Amino acid sequence: MTSTERGPRTVLPVPSPAGDRPAPATPAYRVPTVPQAAWSPAGCRRRTWVSRAILLSVLLFQATLSLRLHNTAFQDEAVYLSSGHVQIHHLLYGTPVPTDYASYFSGSPLIYPVVAAVVDAKFGLGGARLLSLFFMLGANTALYAMTRRLFSERPALAASAVFAVIPSTVVLGHFATYDAAAVFLLALTAWIIVRTDRAPVASVLLAAPVAVLAVATKYAAGLYLPTLVVLAALVSWPHRGRSSMVRAVLFVIGVAVPTLVGLQYSDVLDGMRATTTAREHGHDGVREIVWKTAEWGGLMFLTACGGAIAYARRGRMNESPSTAPLDVPGGIWRTLLGLLLCATALLAPAYQIHLATSVALSKHLGFGLLFAAPMAGVGLTRLVGAHFRFPQLACVLWVATLCVGVTKSTEWFASWPETSQLNKVLRSHITPGGGRYLAESPNTPVYYLRDITDQTRWSSLYHMGYKDAHGTVHHGKDGYRKALADGWFDLVVLDGVAVPELDPVITEAVRSSGRYRLLGAVPFSETGRFRIWVKR
């Protein structure tokens, strides 16, 4: 066979010199570098928005718990709102103030009462209570931001969730008194202190005016100033060392100077003594106060203590293995932080044990539990475990706290008489601008009927000084008996709830005087009745 019959030849390429070789083609796919773990501790936009969405859900649930509570105005709400209206009329029109509110109010009468009365004038009692809800929602938001700064998102969300359902938070969120505003201002102060932990030491002065305003709003907030001072030094210590003590000193100066100036040029010192520093002691036993404290805040406090112990033992807050080499605060620092926040929750019960009274304890517990909440968030997080290993344990604890919050808040709002029917009856028997009236809780009718009467026309069962026709002044029970015997009052209202020990004394004096007739009994509960007497 010839070469032409073998077919075409295959020509092999001649290798080119090394310098003429073509560059290798870029691969169509490259295997990415696999991280050490499938999650990252670094912040991202998605993580931030998910955390905010959960916080918003918590706040909506908190608002729902508070808004479900209903009753007419409590006597404290009534007196604060009424005084606010009086102060506004005095500022705008020069109307005389009938009494020295600063001498017995537990906060400045020119701050919260005036603000709340402005809202009340436009939206009524519901609007004033809604203002308190906004304050409590703001306090929870500041708590979340503070806890997130101290630890991370998970403890922050847990702290917010448990703080939202404790009884004090639920009650104060629908209660038109000083307390909600003071709690918000304390939370805002604590957040500013924590947020500026790495800033120049002078930045802590931003928190001082807010702290002063908190104390002016509610004098009992001053009980938590030492906690804020220590917190100012403690949170800055890992970043600034000994210079953090300068930070604490600056905060003390920033609070002390305006406070001393305010006391020097105002008349609130008498009210502060009467309601806070030199308050009259009661007769409640230690066991009663401790039991009430355990009922209203025991579960959250135990959770906070558990969180403080767990945080002292292990400081790392993230589950990612990549964070293992990162520096965490030392064990002594973590222990001190846990002790500070948990011990603050005991300040209000300890002070009320000193005073031997449980009056307002249920409200004041919320002040201290605000500071214990970050550690409660750590406790819930550690109870859940890494990768949500035991979520059922934390859920049971949170649901138990929720049940207590719902039950106790409902009981609290049912603890005073509902006065809507009483107000209708009184409106038809009160002389506009005149008359003299006696009631166990006069603040409530003064608030609801302020268009036809005022506080100067009403007397209560808390104090009596009656001057008879001969100029002799009678006090206490004798004063009530003499005033009723002389027919001094045009109308008497008794409910047997506000001052039960004097109820039979007044009842007997009204009946024996012969000057009054029983107008009727207005029910306010299944067993409770308002008894109304009018002068013949």
Side-chain angles (χ1 to χ4, degrees):
M1 177 180 251
T2 63
S3 60
T4 56
E5 297 174 348
R6 296 175 183 171
R9 291 183 179 181
T10 302
V11 181
L12 298 177
V14 179
S16 61
D20 299 334
R21 292 179 181 176
T26 303
Y29 177 76
R30 184 182 298 274
V31 178
T33 303
V34 179
Q36 182 181 3
W39 66 94
S40 171
C44 63
R45 185 178 297 274
R46 179 183 177 185
R47 180 175 177 176
T48 300
W49 281 108
V50 169
S51 179
R52 290 175 179 175
I54 297 175
L55 174 63
L56 179 60
S57 300
V58 171
L59 296 179
L60 290 175
F61 188 70
Q62 174 186 338
T64 301
L65 291 179
S66 294
L67 292 175
R68 64 181 240 290
L69 302 173
H70 295 283
N71 200 346
T72 52
F74 184 61
Q75 58 179 344
D76 289 354
E77 295 179 294
V79 69
Y80 295 150
L81 293 175
S82 297
S83 69
H85 289 290
V86 171
Q87 298 283 357
I88 291 174
H89 280 272
H90 174 70
L91 294 174
L92 295 179
Y93 312 112
T95 306
V97 178
T99 183
D100 184 13
Y101 296 115
S103 65
Y104 64 93
F105 270 19
S106 58
S108 172
L110 294 175
I111 301 178
Y112 173 80
V114 172
V115 175
V118 171
V119 178
D120 176 70
K122 184 68 175 179
F123 303 102
L125 178 63
R129 286 176 170 176
L130 196 61
L131 177 65
S132 294
L133 177 60
F134 288 149
F135 282 134
M136 292 308 297
L137 295 177
N140 202 347
T141 303
L143 167 65
Y144 164 81
M146 176 178 66
T147 310
R148 184 175 181 269
R149 179 78 173 182
L150 287 172
F151 307 117
S152 64
E153 281 100 342
R154 283 181 60 188
L157 291 172
S160 177
V162 71
F163 181 75
V165 300
I166 61 174
S168 298
T169 302
V170 178
V171 167
L172 295 182
H174 204 56
F175 201 58
T177 60
Y178 297 110
D179 302 273
V183 170
F184 167 70
L185 292 171
L186 284 176
L188 184 60
T189 304
W191 173 74
I192 295 174
I193 289 174
V194 174
R195 183 64 180 83
T196 58
D197 57 350
R198 304 179 191 182
V201 292
S203 62
V204 76
L205 292 174
L206 296 173
V210 185
V212 173
L213 184 59
V215 177
T217 301
K218 173 84 172 181
Y219 302 142
L223 190 64
Y224 302 92
L225 289 179
T227 296
L228 294 172
V229 172
V230 178
L231 186 65
L234 197 58
V235 296
S236 182
W237 185 273
H239 314 292
R240 297 194 169 275
R242 295 182 179 179
S243 64
S244 60
M245 303 304 297
V246 178
R247 192 170 185 261
V249 172
L250 286 176
F251 180 72
V252 171
I253 295 174
V255 172
V257 171
T259 300
L260 293 176
V261 172
L263 292 177
Q264 182 70 24
Y265 295 99
S266 68
D267 55 352
V268 302
L269 193 58
D270 292 338
M272 186 177 294
R273 289 171 178 166
T275 62
T276 308
T277 58
R279 185 172 179 171
E280 183 179 355
H281 288 224
H283 304 284
D284 297 332
V286 175
R287 181 179 299 179
E288 178 183 352
I289 298 175
V290 170
W291 176 250
K292 190 171 184 178
T293 300
E295 282 186 314
W296 281 70
L299 283 176
M300 183 176 178
F301 178 71
L302 291 177
T303 306
C305 291
I309 295 172
Y311 185 60
R313 295 181 59 186
R314 180 171 67 88
R316 186 163 65 91
M317 300 301 301
N318 201 288
E319 302 169 7
S320 175
S322 62
T323 62
L326 298 179
D327 292 333
V328 296
I332 295 178
W333 185 91
R334 301 196 305 269
T335 301
L336 291 176
L337 181 64
L339 285 174
L340 174 68
L341 297 180
C342 291
T344 303
L346 299 177
L347 292 179
Y351 184 66
Q352 301 220 210
I353 288 175
H354 165 70
L355 295 176
T357 179
S358 60
V359 175
L361 174 63
S362 53
K363 298 185 298 178
H364 293 163
L365 284 174
F367 289 69
L369 292 177
L370 169 72
F371 291 91
M375 281 301 163
V378 175
L380 282 180
T381 303
R382 293 291 171 84
L383 193 61
V384 169
H387 318 302
F388 293 90
R389 186 174 301 173
F390 304 108
Q392 64 274 16
L393 298 178
C395 288
V396 169
L397 182 58
W398 183 82
V399 170
T401 307
L402 170 64
C403 292
V404 173
V406 171
T407 302
K408 292 301 177 182
S409 61
T410 303
E411 291 178 358
W412 170 264
F413 259 73
S415 63
W416 67 85
E418 202 274 343
T419 62
S420 57
Q421 294 298 322
L422 173 67
N423 296 330
K424 294 179 181 179
V425 175
L426 293 182
R427 181 171 288 277
S428 61
H429 288 83
I430 287 181
T431 303
R436 294 182 292 267
Y437 315 105
L438 176 66
E440 289 193 52
S441 302
N443 297 322
T444 304
V446 168
Y447 167 69
Y448 282 107
L449 307 175
R450 61 181 179 272
D451 58 325
I452 60 174
T453 188
D454 59 72
Q455 189 175 0
T456 60
R457 302 292 176 182
W458 292 79
S459 299
S460 70
L461 300 192
Y462 294 101
H463 173 74
M464 185 61 182
Y466 171 66
K467 181 184 292 188
D468 62 18
H470 303 287
T472 303
V473 179
H474 304 266
H475 297 281
K477 296 179 181 179
D478 181 58
Y480 291 112
R481 293 190 183 100
K482 183 62 176 174
L484 291 169
D486 292 346
W488 173 257
F489 297 108
D490 299 299
L491 183 144
V492 179
V493 182
L494 299 179
D495 55 53
V497 175
V499 192
E501 62 273 14
L502 280 182
D503 188 87
V505 175
I506 304 301
T507 301
E508 177 60 27
V510 169
R511 291 173 176 173
S512 61
S513 70
R515 294 177 175 270
Y516 298 90
R517 65 179 178 87
L518 181 64
L519 180 65
V522 179
F524 60 81
S525 67
E526 294 182 358
T527 58
R529 299 288 186 275
F530 287 109
R531 289 153 294 152
I532 307 172
W533 285 270
V534 294
K535 191 161 63 174
R536 296 180 184 276

